[in-house]
Amino acid sequence: MIELMDTNSTRSKKFFRILPKIELHRHLEGSLRLSTMLEIAQSFDLDLPYSDPPFLRQLVQVLPGEPYTYRNFLSKFKTLRLFYRTPEIIHRITQEAIGDAAEDNVRHLEMRFTPVALGVIRQIPAEEIIDIVVTAAEEARKKHQISTSLIVSMNRHESLHLAEKVVRAAVDRRNDGIAGLDLAGDEANFPAAPFADLLGNARKDGLLLTIHAGEWGGAENVVEALQLFKADRIGHGVRVMEDADAVLLAAESGATFEVCPTSNLQSGVCSNLSTHPMKRMMDAGIKVTLNTDDPGVSAIKLTHEYVNAHNVMQLTVGDLRKATLDAAQNAFLNGSDRRHLVNNIGKEFDQKIKILENEKVI
């Protein structure tokens, strides 16, 4: 059935909108609605153009015609950090981010968040930020009937001392909504190795681990994440294709790569989507999944990534089914919940394909 559907070269947004999806790599800090930001800016009388939505959009989203560089991409977060002003706002944006995913037919969402970034304005402690996000996510999960897992993130360009506080708070809540840890940040200029013992001990304490690597740094960073950190998953990882030995290691390791094509384009990691390495990664035996990274910054939904993956990057519908199942099989869930997700997502995907085929939706 899927092979038959793959005979068409391009498909509509409606086609991919209907399919059930799983997302493993979405940052809360980059998932704010523009309408919410306008409201917050006005309520707090921020020194931002809240009466001019197009102007504000330029400050918080990567728009056509802007330079596709990591500097421009990261510049949006300087403005975004102005909005994380109160516990109530953090609670709200968490609920909205999960609601937006559910509306896009995402069946399981893994959302990572950085307590240091969210708490910076009012110096809210990491443990309080984590509790706010956990509570909001649980409420949103029930409201929208969506499965969720939360990942606590820290930046390698910030201090190890700060990371220790964040990890301690996350480990203390490993049975109360926190499933894993993420090491993100400036991999081009700051090493990951100083965090190895800290994250290794957290893994022993029961938290799973994903490492941003092979995005703004080379294939050697992917090798380090796999060999030194024993990472369960790799955030982005697309530059692994620059080194044949790294590709072989990635395939043999069984680690899952959280690929974010639009983000890779907008941050200058790849020059255009038609040459994005995701298809080549799959063909090399690497487990890959499809994700948005920062949907608010990129002004996209996961459906947008599915459309581009098929119509521009040449992934078949069968490839997308495999990526979705790989996401389910490597979700940060306990064994029974993961098995339930795998079983349900596979069945629903095939059912929706059958419906689309019968209704001749292209």
Side-chain angles (χ1 to χ4, degrees):
M1 176 178 58
I2 290 178
E3 288 77 8
L4 176 62
M5 296 295 289
D6 281 347
T7 57
N8 292 322
S9 59
T10 62
R11 302 195 184 282
S12 66
K13 181 178 179 180
K14 179 181 179 181
F15 180 93
F16 293 107
R17 166 72 176 76
I18 290 171
L19 294 180
K21 306 168 190 71
I22 292 175
E23 179 156 22
L24 303 182
H25 191 120
R26 181 180 298 209
H27 292 266
L28 174 58
E29 295 84 6
S31 299
L32 279 68
R33 297 174 181 172
L34 183 67
S35 59
T36 297
M37 287 186 278
L38 287 165
E39 184 180 326
I40 293 170
Q42 185 173 16
S43 296
F44 287 85
D45 194 24
L46 301 183
D47 186 20
L48 291 169
Y50 51 79
S51 61
D52 187 355
F55 190 16
L56 180 61
R57 186 187 297 273
Q58 293 178 31
L59 299 177
V60 296
Q61 293 181 347
V62 178
L63 301 178
E66 293 187 14
Y68 282 176
T69 66
Y70 77 89
R71 289 185 178 86
N72 183 61
F73 192 89
L74 290 179
S75 72
K76 310 302 178 180
F77 290 89
K78 294 179 181 178
T79 304
L80 285 171
R81 283 197 175 198
L82 299 175
F83 293 94
Y84 320 138
R85 306 198 72 80
T86 67
E88 292 76 18
I89 288 174
I90 296 167
H91 186 280
R92 173 182 176 177
I93 64 176
T94 301
Q95 291 199 317
E96 290 181 347
I98 293 172
D100 289 344
E103 188 274 335
D104 195 34
N105 286 329
V106 175
R107 299 292 182 255
H108 176 72
L109 173 67
E110 304 213 338
M111 189 161 61
R112 61 197 68 196
F113 63 100
T114 310
V116 172
L118 291 172
V120 66
I121 291 178
R122 295 204 17 203
Q123 296 299 300
I124 302 174
E127 54 268 24
E128 185 176 341
I129 293 291
I130 294 174
D131 289 340
I132 294 167
V133 174
V134 166
T135 299
E138 178 63 14
E139 293 173 3
R141 182 188 67 79
K142 293 177 179 177
K143 177 180 179 180
H144 298 288
Q145 295 297 296
I146 180 175
S147 170
T148 61
S149 294
L150 296 175
I151 299 169
V152 172
S153 186
M154 66 213 72
N155 291 317
R156 67 184 74 198
H157 56 263
E158 294 173 335
S159 74
L160 184 60
H161 176 68
L162 200 57
E164 288 170 349
K165 293 182 178 180
V166 171
V167 170
R168 189 180 310 116
V171 169
D172 288 345
R173 290 154 179 81
R174 63 189 180 279
N175 297 318
D176 298 310
I178 300 303
L181 292 170
D182 170 38
L183 183 63
D186 183 357
E187 66 163 325
N189 297 299
F190 291 84
F195 298 86
D197 288 343
L198 176 65
L199 297 183
N201 289 333
R203 251 180 129 250
K204 292 176 184 177
D205 286 331
L207 289 178
L208 295 168
L209 183 60
T210 176
I211 303 285
H212 278 65
E215 181 189 16
W216 298 326
E220 66 277 6
N221 286 0
V222 175
V223 172
E224 178 185 56
L226 295 173
Q227 293 185 333
L228 180 61
F229 287 85
K230 310 298 181 187
D232 301 285
R233 301 200 315 237
I234 302 294
H236 299 281
V238 292
R239 292 184 62 184
V240 69
M241 301 305 292
E242 296 174 356
D243 183 88
D245 290 335
V247 171
L248 184 61
L249 173 66
E252 292 178 344
S253 73
T256 301
F257 283 59
E258 308 155 352
V259 178
C260 311
T262 296
S263 173
N264 295 157
L265 175 67
Q266 292 179 344
S267 63
V269 176
C270 69
S271 58
N272 59 76
L273 289 180
S274 63
T275 58
H276 190 281
M278 183 171 178
K279 176 66 171 174
R280 289 185 286 121
M281 292 170 73
M282 294 189 79
D283 291 344
I286 298 174
K287 292 180 183 178
V288 299
T289 64
L290 198 57
N291 309 273
T292 60
D293 199 18
D294 298 288
V297 174
S298 295
I300 59 170
K301 296 182 178 182
L302 189 54
T303 290
H304 178 276
E305 299 294 65
Y306 273 63
V307 171
N308 280 337
H310 180 72
N311 292 346
V312 182
M313 296 159 55
Q314 304 304 308
L315 272 72
T316 66
V317 176
D319 289 334
L320 293 173
R321 182 185 189 277
K322 183 180 187 305
T324 303
L325 284 173
D326 278 342
Q329 290 164 352
N330 296 280
F332 284 0
L333 292 167
N334 64 46
S336 60
D337 288 344
R338 189 184 302 114
R339 287 190 295 272
H340 181 73
L341 178 64
V342 171
N343 184 54
N344 284 355
I345 200 75
K347 286 181 179 178
E348 185 184 1
F349 197 105
D350 291 343
Q351 288 169 354
K352 292 294 174 63
I353 288 291
K354 186 174 183 179
I355 292 170
L356 289 164
E357 185 180 46
N358 289 340
E359 294 182 356
K360 295 181 170 49
V361 175
I362 301 301

